[in-house]
Amino acid sequence: MAHTLPALPYAFDALEPHIDAQTMQIHHDKHHQAYVDNLNKALAGTEGESKTLEELMADISKYPMAVRNNGGGHFNHTLFWTVLGPNAGGAPTGDIAEAINSAFGSFDALKEKMNTAGATRFGSGWAWLIVKDGKLDVCSTPNQDNPLMDIAEVKGTPILGIDVWEHAYYLKYQNKRPDYLSAIWNVINWDEVNKRFKAAR
Ligand code: MN3
């Protein structure tokens, strides 16, 4: 089954001024499309062709690096677009708000933990809020790895992911990754994070 690029669920400029339209367009139409195309190429004619993305992640150590990098890239970005949104951001609501307070003490403490995870990830990677054994935790992964992969240092179900590759922020924030990390909280779609939290528990 060939993998396809999901449509961005909002306009390229919907996350302005926090994430600029040009970054969104290149990120979705060029970077994510390339992960999809290269994943399909890497899987062509192999048994992995019949697997879902989640099945690939769970057994990723058995696949070539091209499947790990591009399958991870496809999974991570598919999640990323949905946990961002216009008219979003601010303090979390619903069950996730309560779970964040009980796991981290406060929303500010979670933000600090996520921003530190993202800022200290050397080179390219992701910061994650995950559900692990029914509880929330924060971790980060290098490159396009994610916490669903069998090779992940910290495993769990990702419910919020923040892309800290330079392609996610460089046009607007240049080298200032921490500024991008502060701004992104203005566009977090808590309804979607809640949905993923409920499903993961
Ligand atoms: Mn990216």
Side-chain angles (χ1 to χ4, degrees):
M1 139 193 69
H3 296 272
T4 55
L5 179 69
L8 196 66
Y10 37 79
F12 293 124
D13 64 358
L15 307 183
E16 294 264 12
H18 310 292
I19 304 182
D20 61 285
Q22 192 187 8
T23 293
M24 290 301 292
Q25 181 160 16
I26 296 171
H27 201 174
H28 178 270
D29 288 6
K30 304 294 181 194
H31 289 280
H32 191 173
Q33 181 73 64
Y35 296 126
V36 170
D37 293 346
N38 289 325
L39 175 62
N40 286 331
K41 257 181 240 164
L43 290 174
T46 74
E47 57 88 36
E49 225 175 3
S50 64
K51 305 285 185 191
T52 66
L53 210 41
E54 286 75 11
E55 287 169 338
L56 292 173
M57 300 297 105
D59 274 337
I60 204 70
S61 59
K62 299 184 184 136
Y63 291 90
M65 195 52 95
V67 175
R68 176 168 161 183
N69 288 338
N70 294 292
H74 180 32
F75 177 90
N76 297 349
H77 289 84
T78 299
L79 180 147
F80 188 55
W81 311 130
T82 68
V83 297
L84 303 179
N87 310 313
T93 50
D95 290 352
I96 192 73
E98 215 171 289
I100 286 170
N101 287 338
S102 88
F104 307 107
S106 67
F107 175 46
D108 281 343
L110 166 71
K111 281 198 284 192
E112 199 183 317
K113 225 173 146 78
M114 286 282 286
N115 290 359
T116 301
T120 57
R121 167 54 59 190
F122 184 77
S124 299
W126 290 76
W128 301 102
L129 176 62
I130 63 170
V131 176
K132 183 184 165 66
D133 306 322
K135 288 190 190 134
L136 293 178
D137 201 0
V138 166
C139 63
S140 80
T141 54
N143 306 314
Q144 295 296 356
D145 288 358
N146 65 53
L148 286 181
M149 290 182 172
D150 60 354
I151 46 80
E153 230 172 274
V154 180
K155 292 183 196 67
T157 305
I159 61 170
L160 170 62
I162 299 179
D163 188 343
V164 299
W165 283 58
E166 282 187 345
H167 67 225
Y169 62 86
Y170 204 87
L171 293 179
K172 182 176 174 78
Y173 296 97
Q174 293 83 47
N175 59 315
K176 299 183 286 283
R177 188 188 287 183
D179 290 2
Y180 155 74
L181 287 168
S182 321
I184 204 164
W185 295 100
N186 294 303
V187 291
I188 299 298
N189 178 354
W190 291 111
D191 288 345
E192 177 66 22
V193 179
N194 260 303
K195 216 189 287 172
R196 290 177 180 271
F197 177 53
K198 272 174 210 161
R201 257 192 318 181

